[in-house]
Amino acid sequence: MLGGAGILLTAGPAMAAEVAYKTECIPPAISGLPAVQGTTKVLITAPAEAKVGDEVEVVWKTVEAASKNPDILDLEKDTVKPTGVLKIGGAASGTLSMEGPRQNPPIKKNSPMVLPDMKGKLKLEKAGEITLTPDKYNINVSKPMSTDTKCSPKETVAVAATIKVTDGGGTTTSGGTTTSGGTTTSGGTTTSGGTTTSGGTTTSGGSTSGGTSGSGGSTTTSGGSASGGGGGQTDFPGKEVAVSFACQAPGPASITSKVTINAKKDGGSYALTVKTAKGVMNSPAALPKGALKPSMAVKIGGADSGTVTVTGAPNPAPLEAGKPVDLTDMTGTYKPGASGKATLSPGKLTISVSLGGSPIVIPCEVKGGVAASLELDTTKQAGGAAGGGGNSASGGGGGDLAETGAEDTGALRALALVAGTVILLGGAVFTFTPWARLRR
């Protein structure tokens, strides 16, 4: 038959064997739930015989997952994606990465998990008997937000399939086994690729020229700068710059937005207003008014250093699940810690979701380089940014990002009551959790 790489294989009939093993599954960190102890049953299918040089397909069928979907949340169709690892032994050694599609029927609460088959391709490079043994696997759930449950064996697992590899015509080869076609993923959903934006930027109250270009997470801008400290000017509009953020679960994998930092002089300090583009992310769930609050650590460079924490108001209206979210303008105060030309650039974005309990904190780090949005002619103030100590600008030098917007800087937690309905942000944690534990 034709293999995945278009190679004509002279393999023997497929062999399948089912194995069962004790498994521990670690729920997403945001759930705050304990590890799940269960039994996984797996059926591995592979050719019984093949020749050196063949590339064969191996199929992992999960007959039974470690536990049921908990009695909390129905999983939508095509939201579950498994990945796993097979151990290779016998005449060769190594691992084979297995991957399944994001494909499943709707899975009701308190019902068995249904996982699609995982596949991988194995290039045979050495004669002898090769054994295949199931190992760890990961289950990603994409809605209501991307989460991962990591499962691993807690006992020695039996060999599930054996391939007898013959020399295939007197040619002796040596070496290991090459695997291809599978990808093992863990710890959330990873996306790659940049966002390209083009066009001019118009600002008021200052002179700005040039365009803004973002590609692959880095941003290069050119144009004028707003400068203060002379001539009685009090308002200093910044340039719009494109920024890419990489967020941790349960937030989106990435956010790309245009950001503008504006300043208004107030004595020796500056009142900052940071604006983001409309619809920077989709709401992870149906959220009531006042549940979602943004903040940012504006990075100070040039003659000064440190960060300024700016915070936005909570969402003024209820948010629908999956619909675009506009972040409110974020404000804070910058007190210069040095004299000269200081630059202000977008830094770490933090989104806090509070639903009556401990807030869910979603940190989003700047991905790649980012240009300054504003340049100011500053005069050093006592206790300013570079000097540190009790100001909105945090010192310490080097522009380290400050912790912003989080009332709870510990592990992420994501269970809360929304209009009387419990929402499990952790997705498919394969354990039954009583209501009392959720309330705690």
Side-chain angles (χ1 to χ4, degrees):
M1 62 182 73
L2 286 176
I7 301 174
L8 184 63
L9 305 184
T10 57
M15 298 296 291
E18 181 179 310
V19 296
Y21 53 96
K22 294 178 182 179
T23 308
E24 180 180 69
C25 293
I26 306 299
I30 59 171
S31 69
L33 297 176
V36 180
Q37 307 297 328
T39 299
T40 301
K41 293 182 180 179
V42 174
L43 183 71
I44 300 297
T45 303
E49 297 180 358
K51 295 180 180 179
V52 171
D54 287 349
E55 186 176 60
V56 299
E57 183 177 74
V58 181
V59 179
W60 172 319
K61 179 179 180 63
T62 304
V63 179
E64 183 179 313
S67 187
K68 296 180 179 180
N69 185 35
D71 190 19
I72 297 170
L73 181 70
D74 292 340
L75 299 180
E76 297 180 20
K77 181 178 183 290
D78 297 339
T79 58
V80 177
K81 178 183 176 68
T83 54
V85 174
L86 282 177
K87 287 185 177 180
I88 302 171
S93 62
T95 59
L96 174 63
S97 296
M98 307 293 289
E99 183 175 2
R102 193 174 296 282
Q103 185 178 66
N104 61 279
I107 303 174
K108 295 292 185 181
K109 293 177 284 189
N110 198 29
S111 62
M113 289 299 302
V114 181
L115 304 179
D117 293 350
M118 295 184 282
K119 297 181 179 180
K121 290 182 179 178
L122 180 64
K123 181 70 176 293
L124 305 174
E125 298 181 346
K126 188 176 182 181
E129 288 193 349
I130 293 177
T131 61
L132 302 173
T133 304
D135 194 42
K136 61 185 178 181
Y137 61 96
N138 183 81
I139 299 171
N140 176 264
V141 177
S142 60
K143 291 184 178 180
M145 51 185 57
S146 180
T147 56
D148 288 274
T149 297
K150 302 176 183 179
C151 302
S152 56
K154 300 306 292 182
E155 64 177 340
T156 301
V157 184
V159 171
T162 301
I163 305 174
K164 184 178 180 180
V165 183
T166 58
D167 198 10
T171 301
T172 302
T173 62
S174 62
T177 301
T178 302
T179 65
S180 64
T183 303
T184 302
T185 62
S186 63
T189 300
T190 302
T191 61
S192 62
T195 300
T196 301
T197 61
S198 62
T201 302
T202 303
T203 63
S204 61
S207 177
T208 304
S209 64
T212 300
S213 170
S215 175
S218 62
T219 305
T220 302
T221 64
S222 62
S225 63
S227 61
Q233 184 179 356
T234 58
D235 292 322
F236 304 98
K239 299 179 296 185
E240 187 179 65
V241 294
V243 189
S244 291
F245 299 96
C247 302
Q248 294 183 15
S254 62
I255 292 176
T256 299
S257 175
K258 293 181 179 179
V259 178
T260 306
I261 302 173
N262 300 317
K264 183 178 180 68
K265 193 171 184 182
D266 183 11
S269 300
Y270 296 85
L272 303 183
T273 300
V274 178
K275 297 178 178 288
T276 58
K278 300 292 184 181
V280 296
M281 59 178 284
N282 292 333
S283 179
L287 298 176
K289 175 183 175 181
L292 188 148
K293 183 178 180 180
S295 62
M296 180 181 286
V298 176
K299 190 172 183 179
I300 306 168
D304 207 352
S305 63
T307 56
V308 177
T309 299
V310 292
T311 304
N315 56 300
L319 303 175
E320 296 181 45
K323 294 299 180 66
V325 174
D326 298 337
L327 300 181
T328 56
D329 292 350
M330 294 167 277
T331 59
T333 301
Y334 165 47
K335 180 182 288 188
S339 298
K341 291 188 180 296
T343 59
L344 281 72
S345 307
K348 177 182 177 181
L349 174 68
T350 301
I351 299 167
S352 179
V353 180
S354 180
L355 300 169
S358 297
I360 304 157
V361 182
I362 303 172
C364 300
E365 299 284 357
V366 173
K367 184 170 59 175
V370 61
S373 174
L374 183 63
E375 183 180 82
L376 298 170
D377 286 333
T378 61
T379 301
K380 181 177 180 179
Q381 305 293 310
N391 298 291
S392 296
S394 65
D400 292 337
L401 293 178
E403 294 298 326
T404 61
E407 297 173 8
D408 178 1
T409 57
L412 299 177
R413 302 183 203 109
L415 293 176
L417 293 174
V418 178
T421 301
V422 174
I423 295 179
L424 175 63
L425 297 180
V429 179
F430 303 124
T431 182
F432 177 83
T433 307
W435 287 104
R437 182 179 295 169
L438 291 181
R439 292 191 182 96
R440 288 197 299 272

